[in-house]
Amino acid sequence: MLVNVSSLNLSDINTVLGFSEPTYHLLTALHTIVVFLALIGNSTVLYGILCFNALNLDRIALVFILNLTVIDLTLALINGVTVGTTLYARRWVVGVEMCFVQNRRAVATGGSAMS
């Protein structure tokens, strides 16, 4: 179903998406918790690798884990801010440029997951 979102008001968006007021609050809270856990977990892995050499792996595996951690931190920050803001405001408030970035990120993530 295609909807012209520029002509919708807040009550129309609730009707189109089918979410009630408590559901929006629940989604925002769950999203915040997931992003917070992603940031804490990946920061812990990064700190353990860089400061204590906590993982006794060969160099290739260590670089792979380090790359995954940095990418996951970056995606958690970018998606955490944009999706959290969108859930809270119930509309896209971060501009056309960030919409383009989010779209390209989604295409790249989906393409890499399928290969």
Side-chain angles (χ1 to χ4, degrees):
M1 174 171 97
L2 295 176
V3 176
N4 183 4
V5 292
S6 62
S7 65
L8 294 176
N9 61 28
L10 184 60
S11 63
D12 291 335
I13 290 174
N14 287 339
T15 303
V16 168
L17 297 177
F19 294 145
S20 63
E21 188 75 20
T23 306
Y24 276 109
H25 294 300
L26 180 64
L27 286 174
T28 304
L30 288 175
H31 181 266
T32 303
I33 291 169
V34 167
V35 169
F36 182 73
L37 289 175
L39 293 175
I40 294 296
N42 285 305
S43 297
T44 304
V45 171
L46 190 63
Y47 183 72
I49 288 173
L50 295 178
C51 293
F52 297 111
N53 196 14
L55 299 175
N56 293 324
L57 300 172
D58 61 340
R59 184 148 179 88
I60 295 173
L62 194 60
V63 169
F64 180 70
I65 299 290
L66 187 62
N67 284 336
L68 286 176
T69 302
V70 170
I71 294 287
D72 201 28
L73 272 171
T74 305
L75 287 177
L77 285 172
I78 292 172
N79 291 340
V81 172
T82 55
V83 173
T85 304
T86 302
L87 279 173
Y88 184 75
R90 296 187 192 139
R91 62 187 181 90
W92 189 259
V93 294
V94 290
V96 176
E97 293 82 10
M98 197 59 190
C99 182
F100 180 79
V101 169
Q102 282 290 94
N103 182 34
R104 294 299 175 243
R105 190 246 355 123
V107 169
T109 305
S112 67
M114 289 182 201
S115 61

